[in-house]
Structures are given as structure tokens and as C-alpha cells.
Amino acid sequence: MKTWSLFLISILMSACAHAQSEGILRGSDLAPMTLQESVASVRPGSIVVIGENHGFVQHRDQQVAVMQALRTQGLKVSVGLEFFTYTHQHLVDAYRAGTVTEPEFLKAIQWGSPSYDYYRSQALFPNLTEGALTLALNAPRSVTSSAAKKGLEGLSADEKAMLPPNFTLGRDSYKRRFLSMMPHLPTPEAGERYFAAQSIWDDTMAWKAADFIKTHPDQVLVIVVGEFHVQYGGGLPDRLRARLPNTPIVTFSQINTLGMEEDEIAVEIQPSVQDGPRADYLWLAPAQSLGL
């Protein structure tokens, strides 16, 4: 632990001296990388997970850039989105096939905010003519809301039937980080309930992604998800590796550096003493919501 701590200190000191607000860094040692270098190892049957702050044009464009770089390598790219519920897959398919209009689709899935303008490009990226698909990955909100209010034991039989096979809560380090972000919860019991809901979110996405990549080993699946689900490998990447132990998984963390000083950026990107690197690759950019 002492050697690892000294290593992290040296990284932080170097980062403070050369902190940048834009570009891709390798998460393990903060070495600058090109986009092509960061995806060079991706092969058919791999999963690429991109964490974002919701509702930023720069993050949208970076996600599409990753997808395009993979396509340029000759890979078939399907896209999985946190924002679509898996029970709506038939609606996603109809939308992509053009049998329902976009307004009809958004009304049917009860799209709220942010604006769909931030996610249209990702949803429409897969080339249907080559067999790529747009996947709805998330658990029904009714199930996660019920778990947050009543706990796993309070779910109805119908709600339990919507859980992933062999559902598992997230690992302890992920739980520690999650609860540290939820200081407003009134009791430890409430923390347990909310973490169960968070775990349903992650494990459901991993379940649907695993089912897809097992039946489409000739493709790459790119998953767009909220940033916390990706950080330090404890959320979605952990559940993916549990369900797909032999599948290559590459993670990106998109970090909004708008208004951050160099020392703040250095702290944000440094590997954690407890949890290691934030992701395989960190994509830094000052990002703004344009109020779409």
C-alpha cells in the first residue's frame, strides 16, 4: 500500500504541473492518448462503456467520435443506451425501422429531460443494414422506484420477475462510494434500499448487454451511461465482468473541466488510493449545456 500511495503521489505531482483541460488520458498513468490509440485494442465481441454527464453537446459528440473510430476500424457497432428501458425494445425497433415517427416514439416511452437532441445521434448510429442494433438496456423505472421505497423484499411478484437472472448487488467498494454521494438519506436502511435500486440499474444493463454480445460476437457494443455507473469499475463494468468473464471491456470516463483550475483537474483525474484508476481512458473537455 505504501508503494502504491507513493506512486499515486508522483502521478498527482506530475499532473498538477501539466494538467490539461482537454484530450484523452490513459487512466492508469495519465499518459496522453489519441482516440485511435484508445480504441486500437477493441475487437469483435468487445464492449465499450462510455460514462457521461447528462445533457452536454461535447459529451454527445465525443461518444459519436468513439463509435465512428470503431467503425473506421471495420467493426460493426451496436449501441446500448441507459435512457431506454428494456421493456421498450419493441418501440426502439419500430422507431429505428421507421414504422413509428420520432415524436410518437418519444411519447410512447415517456421521454422527459434532457432534450432528445443530446442522444439522437447515438441512438441512430447503428447501421441496420449490417445487422447492428440500438439496444434498450435499463430496468423499468417502476421497479427501481419500488426498490428504493420498499427494498428488495417489498417488490411484488411481477416486479421481481423483471429483475435480471441471478441478480446481485454491487460490490462493497461501489456501495461505499454510492452512499458517500447520498448524505441526505435519513437512515442506513434507506441507504440499503437506494443501493438496491442502483444495483438493479447496473445489473439489468449488464444482463441485457451480455445477452446481446453472446449472440452477436461479430459486433462491438458501445454503451452510453451516466458517469457514476462507470467510475472505478464498480458499477456497470463490474457487473459486465461478472456476467462476461472472458469478454474484453474498455471504459471511458468523460470529465467536464469547465471552470476547473489545474489543481482541481489533477485531483479529479488521479487514480484513487482505494479504488484505482477512474476508467481505462479519461476524456477531458470543457462542456456546456446549451439548453436544448
Side-chain angles (χ1 to χ4, degrees):
M1 178 63 71
K2 183 177 180 180
T3 301
W4 177 239
S5 298
L6 291 173
F7 172 67
L8 290 180
I9 290 171
S10 68
I11 287 178
L12 177 58
M13 292 176 64
S14 176
C16 285
H18 305 287
Q20 62 186 71
S21 61
E22 297 186 63
I24 299 174
L25 305 175
R26 189 165 52 206
S28 59
D29 60 5
L30 307 183
M33 307 287 289
T34 66
L35 175 57
Q36 291 70 28
E37 289 171 335
S38 67
V39 300
S41 65
V42 177
R43 298 290 182 266
S46 301
I47 296 178
V48 178
V49 185
I50 308 176
E52 67 152 24
N53 301 124
H54 301 318
F56 290 100
V57 171
Q58 290 85 350
H59 286 191
R60 175 197 64 194
D61 294 346
Q62 289 168 182
Q63 292 157 22
V64 174
V66 171
M67 297 170 192
Q68 188 58 57
L70 293 168
R71 180 177 284 169
T72 299
Q73 292 179 192
L75 297 165
K76 294 181 183 179
V77 180
S78 284
V79 175
L81 295 173
E82 168 192 19
F83 319 101
F84 297 156
T85 298
Y86 80 81
T87 52
H88 291 156
Q89 184 65 55
H90 65 291
L91 295 171
V92 175
D93 294 341
Y95 166 57
R96 290 304 324 272
T99 57
V100 299
T101 66
E102 182 173 290
E104 290 170 337
F105 168 66
L106 296 179
K107 181 178 180 180
I109 66 172
Q110 299 181 315
W111 184 273
S113 60
S115 169
Y116 187 63
D117 290 342
Y118 290 110
Y119 301 106
R120 182 182 297 106
S121 299
Q122 301 92 312
L124 298 181
F125 187 87
N127 185 341
L128 303 186
T129 62
E130 67 178 14
L133 297 174
T134 304
L135 300 182
L137 295 180
N138 213 341
R141 186 168 294 278
S142 60
V143 177
T144 54
S145 295
S146 185
K149 293 175 183 176
K150 300 181 290 186
L152 293 174
E153 66 284 353
L155 296 179
S156 68
D158 288 344
E159 290 167 339
K160 289 178 180 177
M162 294 183 184
L163 295 179
N166 304 311
F167 166 68
T168 304
L169 293 172
R171 69 191 189 195
D172 289 345
S173 60
Y174 184 55
K175 182 178 181 179
R176 168 179 49 78
R177 293 182 49 249
F178 175 79
L179 293 178
S180 73
M181 300 290 290
M182 306 287 280
H184 59 283
L185 294 177
T187 64
E189 291 75 19
E192 296 293 331
R193 296 195 302 271
Y194 274 80
F195 184 65
Q198 179 82 359
S199 297
I200 291 172
W201 209 325
D202 290 311
D203 208 22
T204 298
M205 290 189 286
W207 164 42
K208 303 309 292 186
D211 280 356
F212 175 80
I213 209 68
K214 287 175 183 176
T215 56
H216 298 80
D218 61 323
Q219 300 194 27
V220 172
L221 177 60
V222 176
I223 299 175
V224 176
V225 69
E227 169 66 16
F228 190 82
H229 293 279
V230 179
Q231 291 176 10
Y232 306 102
L236 179 56
D238 179 63
R239 302 319 308 148
L240 285 169
R241 292 187 173 104
R243 291 182 177 273
L244 296 165
N246 299 315
T247 296
I249 297 168
V250 177
T251 60
F252 281 82
S253 176
Q254 292 180 284
I255 300 174
N256 183 5
T257 59
L258 183 68
M260 295 177 67
E261 301 293 337
E262 285 195 355
D263 58 341
E264 295 174 313
I265 295 173
V267 170
E268 190 75 12
I269 65 178
Q270 68 168 314
S272 164
V273 173
Q274 290 179 290
D275 302 311
R278 179 172 174 141
D280 294 320
Y281 299 99
L282 316 179
W283 197 332
L284 284 62
Q288 288 183 301
S289 173
L290 302 184
L292 296 177

